[in-house]
Amino acid sequence: MLKQQLTSFSASAAVLAGAALICSSQAMALSPFKATYQFSYNGHNMGSATRTLQQNGNNWTYIFAAKAGILASATETSHFSWVDNNVVSNNFSRNASYIGLSDSFKINFNPNAKTIATNRKGKARSFAWKTGALDELNAEVQVREDLKKSGLKSNYFITGAKGVDPRKFVKLGTENLATPYGTFSTIKVKLDHGGSDRNTIFWLAPKLDYLPVKVAHNDGSSSYGILLTGYQGPTK
């Protein structure tokens, strides 16, 4: 069960940006950063998580990693480029483990062949190309950059194992939020997952380049999330 929760959490946490205000014309361009978090389940601290954005020319690598002691771990990696203020997806992978058990998911974006191929635990699928298709992790990059520039798109097309689905984010307001790293003025955003008892809420800090300083995911009787403990990157 913990493996499923951690894997689901990593997917939820990968879309961590949400909706909100538009930053000023002096907003910073896409920049590398590293953030650390405490990871909790049902209100109990279970471990830690990191999110790192790395740059090599116009090749970007975004990594999300979470670990719950020696019991479970999950890592997501997204490779993409940045063209005219838009993410151009290349490939994505997620690997999770729980006491010897494992779960994997991969995406290969092929614009030349006009296809997107996925593989979930050995089950391969291929479907038609969708312009602007994102993965669960680099979608956050796109949303954050949109907030700093022209504003949110009406939909973000996120690739899952069975296809590409449009997703929307809803602004809930603003809130001052205390974290182990400090107190921040944040924009509170909700992502609905299509069910009345399943949602993810994000607290985004404009001062930290719209970094999510807290994420809370609710799924029926279970809840889990992350809270910022450290940050290296651009500030406003």
Side-chain angles (χ1 to χ4, degrees):
M1 179 179 291
L2 182 56
K3 180 195 73 171
Q4 181 181 0
Q5 293 157 348
L6 185 58
T7 303
S8 179
F9 169 72
S10 70
S12 297
V15 190
L16 288 176
L21 298 174
I22 301 173
C23 207
S24 71
S25 60
Q26 297 178 347
M28 295 160 288
L30 183 63
S31 302
F33 74 90
K34 180 177 182 179
T36 57
Y37 301 84
Q38 66 184 36
F39 169 65
S40 62
Y41 172 67
N42 281 351
H44 301 286
N45 187 15
M46 297 289 292
S48 61
T50 61
R51 300 150 48 107
T52 307
L53 181 62
Q54 303 169 342
Q55 179 185 12
N56 182 9
N58 195 31
N59 297 313
W60 294 81
T61 302
Y62 197 12
I63 302 171
F64 174 86
K67 187 174 183 179
I70 62 173
L71 296 177
S73 64
T75 301
E76 293 182 339
T77 303
S78 173
H79 295 282
F80 64 93
S81 58
W82 184 243
V83 180
D84 296 330
N85 295 323
N86 287 292
V87 167
V88 179
S89 302
N90 185 0
N91 59 69
F92 168 88
S93 65
R94 179 172 67 236
N95 294 285
S97 63
Y98 171 64
I99 311 181
L101 301 176
S102 63
D103 181 33
S104 64
F105 175 45
K106 295 181 180 180
I107 309 172
N108 183 46
F109 298 89
N110 192 336
N112 294 327
K114 299 296 182 182
T115 60
I116 300 174
T118 66
N119 191 306
R120 175 72 190 277
K121 294 194 292 187
K123 184 174 180 58
R125 293 183 173 91
S126 181
F127 35 89
W129 178 258
K130 174 67 178 179
T131 301
L134 304 167
D135 61 51
E136 297 169 335
L137 198 52
N138 66 30
E140 177 213 328
V141 175
Q142 185 66 66
V143 170
R144 288 174 60 182
E145 293 304 307
D146 287 346
L147 288 174
K148 295 189 295 179
K149 296 180 175 66
S150 59
L152 292 170
K153 298 179 176 64
S154 57
N155 288 300
Y156 290 84
F157 295 95
I158 314 300
T159 308
K162 298 180 181 179
V164 181
D165 298 313
R167 296 189 187 180
K168 293 181 182 293
F169 299 85
V170 179
K171 181 183 175 184
L172 301 180
T174 60
E175 182 178 333
N176 287 330
L177 180 70
T179 77
Y181 187 65
T183 300
F184 299 93
S185 174
T186 68
I187 299 161
K188 193 174 179 181
V189 176
K190 180 179 179 181
L191 168 64
D192 288 314
H193 296 272
S196 59
D197 61 349
R198 187 167 184 256
N199 62 75
T200 307
I201 300 175
F202 313 92
W203 286 257
L204 311 176
K207 184 177 180 180
L208 300 184
D209 206 27
Y210 285 83
L211 180 81
V213 295
K214 179 181 178 180
V215 179
H217 180 77
N218 301 289
D219 193 352
S221 61
S222 299
S223 65
Y224 41 91
I226 56 175
L227 186 65
L228 187 70
T229 59
Y231 173 73
Q232 300 173 23
T235 58
K236 181 176 181 290

